Amino acid sequence: MDKLIIEGHKTLKGEVRVSGSKNATLPILAATLLTDEPCEICNIPKLRDTLTMIKLLRSLGKTVEFKKNRVTVTSKEALKSVADYKLVSTMRGSFCVLGPLLVKLKQARVSLPGGCVIGIRPVDLHLKGLKALGAKIEVENGYVIAKARQLKGDHLYLGGAFGPSVLATANVLMAATLAKGTTIIESAACEPEVEDLANFLIAMGANIQGQGSPRLTVKGVKKLKGVRYDIGPDRIEAGTYMIAAAATKSNITLKNVDYSQLLVLIDKLKESGVKIEKGHNAIHVKCVKTIRPTSITTYPYPGFPTDLQAQFMALMAATPGVSVITDKVFPDRFIHIAELNRMGANIRREGSVAIVEGRKTLYGAQVMASDLRASAALVIAGLAAKGRTEIHRIYHLDRGYEGLEQKFSELGAKIYREKI
Ligand code: EPZ
């Protein structure tokens, strides 16, 4: 198993190119199940999660090639309706093959994704949405078994106790494209990744209105066609580099990035004293010597993303003063607190709230990565800390950050991977 070594306390400098969005890629790859025609998708990040989704598509009968951030999906054999436990259990994104398989094959048997360290993560909203379109659904031996001779449009509410669901919206949206009649999804997720999926489906010939808003209107069509499509930039990767720049008091430029998708982070970083300028497809981050403590609460988009909560906590841990961090999307997503505290941070948790008493300096330590964004937080803390940090179990990082060591090295960080 690899570990990551960081010799911290160095400023970063230069440009970093943001990769294509992981969380847009996963449902868009699933959407290729909706057509028998070839699809070519570019700007796909080379990540473990992307490779898992490709394996899943192959196991379902698709022929998939992946070269230089470009994926081609073709159909040479009949589609299969069973998504196996081995692939779905390792990655929740793969559960969004349910909607496309169901509407294409009239039946699907998809393993339940299971919980993970960021919370229980139920799938009730996915099932509720598909049931509203007429699916008969049973859960047996850890599999969701869904059947429907013909899905039919409905006017449905898809919000849950923690707000809208990104992947439930994706699942129901994909199923609705080939359903009979009109589907209106209220309280749909507005995340740019859902908008990217809707744009992909529209390019395939789907009739969708309201993408990016909480009401999606989908008029079912008979058939979808193959397309060529470019995935949008990964706002969470971009945000991670921006926070890393703030934590190391650095000046960096991000390329291939959408400023409008990062407004809430920009607002919070500005509140902390960081200077941020908008360029053409670029963001310039210019840091001052002293950062101010700033509190955040995560919400669904356009609120502060839960996927940047851990990274922002790392920044606040290294910022003198008190800040309060609340996660309203995943109230248990705080596994990183213990590891940050190993580096000298002073953070305590009370329910869904973390109180951070920021220090002037963090110190390198041996720490354990527990999930993708928690790992990114440890990288940021390691870059800011004095001394050497060793991050174990970094396979989590390989799930969601393309070329992380290379990108940080090019910015001047001392960061490298070691095999144990
Ligand atoms: C997506 O997960 C992302 N994953 C997550 O990114 C991200 O943290 C999350 O959205 C929130 O933005 C992918 O896109 C592959 P949700 P998803 O359903 O769709 C509750 C990362 O690090 N809920 O929007 O599974 C749920 O428990 C990952 O890249 C239900 O109650 O998240 C949570 O509290 C991790 N019932 C809230 O809704 C359901 O049926 C939002 O979760 C579904 C969700």
Side-chain angles (χ1 to χ4, degrees):
M1 223 183 283
D2 296 356
K3 65 179 175 182
L4 205 60
I5 317 286
I6 302 173
E7 307 285 351
H9 220 56
K10 310 218 166 5
T11 49
L12 309 175
K13 201 176 154 195
E15 282 182 10
V16 60
R17 188 189 176 279
V18 176
S19 297
S21 160
K22 166 180 87 79
N23 288 347
T25 294
L26 299 176
I28 285 177
L29 285 176
T32 63
L33 294 166
L34 293 164
T35 181
D36 301 326
E37 295 180 16
C39 291
E40 181 186 332
I41 308 162
C42 298
N43 203 29
I44 297 233
K46 194 168 179 213
L47 301 168
R48 222 159 56 108
D49 277 8
T50 316
L51 297 175
T52 305
M53 186 53 111
I54 288 174
K55 267 191 209 157
L56 181 59
L57 291 182
R58 285 181 182 143
S59 77
L60 293 169
K62 289 284 189 185
T63 301
V64 189
E65 273 190 44
F66 188 11
K67 274 189 202 148
K68 290 196 176 160
N69 299 102
R70 190 171 64 101
V71 165
T72 49
V73 185
T74 46
S75 306
K76 292 190 179 146
E77 52 183 281
L79 210 54
K80 299 181 184 73
S81 62
V82 181
D84 193 59
Y85 171 77
K86 267 191 211 141
L87 291 167
V88 183
S89 63
T90 58
M91 185 187 77
R92 193 176 168 83
S94 46
F95 193 67
C96 61
V97 298
L98 178 63
L101 286 180
L102 173 63
V103 73
K104 200 74 179 50
L105 299 174
K106 306 184 190 317
Q107 56 172 331
R109 186 179 154 90
V110 177
S111 169
L112 281 165
C116 71
V117 292
I118 69 172
I120 310 169
R121 304 189 79 186
V123 292
D124 55 310
L125 297 172
H126 299 243
L127 306 190
K128 177 181 154 185
L130 294 173
K131 277 182 190 164
L133 300 188
K136 295 264 174 299
I137 296 187
E138 281 168 36
V139 178
E140 256 176 38
N141 308 110
Y143 279 79
V144 171
I145 301 162
K147 290 182 186 158
R149 237 181 281 151
Q150 168 77 73
L151 291 180
K152 289 200 184 86
D154 191 17
H155 192 170
L156 60 118
Y157 176 77
L158 207 56
F162 300 97
S165 160
V166 171
L167 290 176
T169 304
N171 242 332
V172 180
L173 173 64
M174 287 189 276
T177 57
L178 292 175
K180 197 172 174 202
T182 301
T183 302
I184 303 174
I185 307 172
E186 304 284 0
S187 195
C190 304
E191 271 69 5
E193 295 76 20
V194 178
E195 197 177 343
D196 215 356
L197 168 66
N199 288 334
F200 177 73
L201 294 167
I202 291 167
M204 291 174 94
N207 185 338
I208 301 171
Q209 281 175 346
Q211 62 273 30
S213 83
R215 175 186 284 172
L216 288 170
T217 304
V218 189
K219 287 189 184 146
V221 294
K222 289 230 156 60
K223 198 171 170 260
L224 294 176
K225 59 178 193 286
V227 279
R228 192 201 163 281
Y229 191 80
D230 289 309
I231 301 275
D234 195 314
R235 66 191 168 104
I236 304 300
E237 187 200 19
T240 301
Y241 283 93
M242 290 167 75
I243 296 171
T248 51
K249 317 279 186 293
S250 304
N251 297 342
I252 68 165
T253 295
L254 290 97
K255 294 274 187 179
N256 183 41
V257 63
D258 187 338
Y259 186 94
S260 68
Q261 294 178 353
L262 284 152
L263 291 179
V264 63
L265 175 66
I266 291 167
D267 190 57
K268 284 292 166 184
L269 286 174
K270 282 184 174 170
E271 205 176 311
S272 304
V274 178
K275 288 198 172 66
I276 296 183
E277 283 167 19
K278 184 179 174 185
H280 177 64
N281 251 354
I283 296 178
H284 308 286
V285 185
K286 296 183 177 171
C287 288
V288 284
K289 286 241 156 32
T290 325
I291 304 264
R292 287 188 291 274
T294 304
S295 296
I296 56 155
T297 300
T298 73
Y299 287 109
Y301 190 81
F304 195 98
T306 173
D307 288 348
L308 288 174
Q309 178 258 105
Q311 299 91 314
F312 202 84
M313 188 184 290
L315 169 65
M316 288 300 112
T319 300
V322 175
S323 57
V324 178
I325 295 186
T326 311
D327 202 315
K328 296 262 191 194
V329 180
F330 291 115
D332 287 322
R333 196 177 199 173
F334 285 120
I335 203 105
H336 40 281
I337 292 180
E339 299 304 300
L340 289 172
N341 282 348
R342 288 177 60 78
M343 300 179 70
N346 184 2
I347 308 167
R348 66 177 198 282
R349 177 184 169 185
E350 287 176 16
S352 63
V353 178
I355 295 124
V356 186
E357 289 185 40
R359 305 276 194 198
K360 193 156 180 275
T361 318
L362 297 180
Y363 295 94
Q366 300 212 28
V367 288
M368 192 79 82
S370 56
D371 76 83
L372 173 58
R373 308 304 172 188
S375 315
L378 295 176
V379 171
I380 291 171
L383 291 169
K386 278 192 177 153
R388 175 185 164 104
T389 296
E390 281 187 18
I391 308 178
H392 296 261
R393 293 206 188 149
I394 53 159
Y395 52 84
H396 291 290
L397 278 172
D398 298 333
R399 291 186 57 183
Y401 288 93
E402 190 179 45
L404 178 120
E405 302 105 90
Q406 195 194 336
K407 287 186 182 184
F408 272 121
S409 296
E410 283 169 13
L411 290 172
K414 281 230 152 58
I415 178 168
Y416 54 95
R417 191 179 282 243
E418 233 178 56
K419 298 230 177 278
I420 319 181

